[in-house]
Amino acid sequence: RMAAGDAKTGMREDDAVSFSGDEDGDASMDAGGIDAEDVAAILDEREAAAPDEPLSLATVARRNLPDDFLELAKPEAIARAVAKLDQVRLDRCRLASFVGGMSVEVRRASFANVTALYLQRNRLTSTRGVDGATLPRLRFLALQGNRLRAVAELGTLPNLALLDLSENPHLGRLDELVASMPSSMRFLRCVGCGCATDGDYRAALVASLPRLKRLDGVDVTGRERDDAMAAFGEDEDE
């Protein structure tokens, strides 16, 4: 899997609830018969009902810097510490946008050194703001489990090599996906995206991404690349 710690239930690690079974090995609790799946469903419903959260420096700091540092540090020191981060976790933050709540200047200063960005399990409908001007060093990006319909900005990320777009069912246009992928891509996952059901899906991506090594967990072979180029490669006479 491309994003470590991405629980299938959508629960955060700190939301984990342990259950002890009875002597018969029943995993449900005696009081009320509530089991882990019931708890997960309740948490999912509560999360779905919660309002969107804007992207902010405070959110980035809270998710990625030590609590003891945040308790004592001044705002200027926090901003400097955020700007030094090379890995940023913003998964499950109820973000509907990567641009709202932060000015362009602050956003670019905050993410200039980031090489790995975790944005899975949010509410993003586009990748606006996730671009080369903001994230010039980005190599790993987790976007699974959002509400994406367009990812055009990803094509401006010059160093992006690992990308997880899985579980975005509204991402349905194969031609738009192909056009949005940077040539630096090496590992790509789109399982559960609408475009992944297109009969030309795999061949079109393999033909358009010369460095692609693995798509949806399956290695790209030399024979597959030759066949894809024969079907979708540019005509040398053009």
Side-chain angles (χ1 to χ4, degrees):
R1 294 183 303 176
M2 297 184 68
D6 183 18
K8 292 182 179 179
T9 61
M11 296 171 63
R12 291 174 53 176
E13 292 179 359
D14 54 358
D15 286 333
V17 181
S18 61
F19 296 89
S20 58
D22 57 23
E23 294 180 356
D24 294 330
D26 185 357
S28 62
M29 296 177 64
D30 291 337
I34 301 176
D35 60 21
E37 291 185 358
D38 293 329
V39 173
I42 292 171
L43 291 174
D44 286 344
E45 290 177 2
R46 185 174 63 186
E47 181 71 12
D52 295 343
E53 288 286 344
L55 178 66
S56 67
L57 186 63
T59 299
V60 178
R62 185 174 66 251
R63 286 296 310 275
N64 296 277
L65 297 176
D67 290 340
D68 54 354
F69 170 77
L70 294 176
E71 289 176 0
L72 301 174
K74 295 181 179 180
E76 296 81 3
I78 293 175
R80 288 195 297 269
V82 166
K84 293 179 181 179
L85 293 171
D86 60 359
Q87 297 189 39
V88 171
R89 295 207 69 113
L90 290 170
D91 50 293
R92 303 172 180 84
C93 286
R94 303 198 301 273
L95 299 177
S97 170
F98 195 70
V99 295
M102 294 178 77
S103 68
V104 173
E105 293 77 13
V106 172
R107 192 169 68 249
R108 290 181 177 178
S110 299
F111 297 107
N113 291 309
V114 174
T115 59
L117 178 60
Y118 297 82
L119 287 171
Q120 69 268 31
R121 311 298 176 196
N122 278 294
R123 302 171 180 180
L124 301 173
T125 58
S126 77
T127 53
R128 184 176 169 226
V130 186
D131 53 49
T134 304
L135 295 146
R137 301 181 63 187
L138 191 67
R139 290 182 52 80
F140 172 91
L141 177 60
L143 282 167
Q144 65 268 33
N146 275 279
R147 304 171 184 176
L148 293 172
R149 294 179 179 273
V151 292
E153 292 78 7
L154 301 187
T156 68
L157 295 166
N159 297 302
L160 187 62
L162 299 94
L163 172 63
D164 193 340
L165 286 171
S166 58
E167 300 177 56
N168 280 286
H170 300 300
L171 203 58
R173 291 283 302 274
L174 177 60
D175 57 340
E176 292 181 357
L177 177 67
V178 170
S180 300
M181 293 296 97
S183 61
S184 55
M185 189 66 61
R186 294 175 182 268
F187 300 90
L188 176 62
R189 185 172 176 83
C190 299
V191 174
C193 293
C195 60
T197 62
D198 191 302
D200 294 329
Y201 159 74
R202 188 172 176 92
L205 284 168
V206 170
S208 67
L209 298 172
R211 299 181 183 179
L212 190 65
K213 293 185 176 182
R214 186 176 300 167
L215 176 59
D216 295 338
V218 179
D219 290 344
V220 176
T221 65
R223 175 62 181 273
E224 181 181 23
R225 186 169 297 283
D226 290 343
D227 290 345
M229 291 302 297
F232 292 96
E234 295 182 0
D235 190 336
E236 294 181 357
D237 295 332
E238 291 183 357

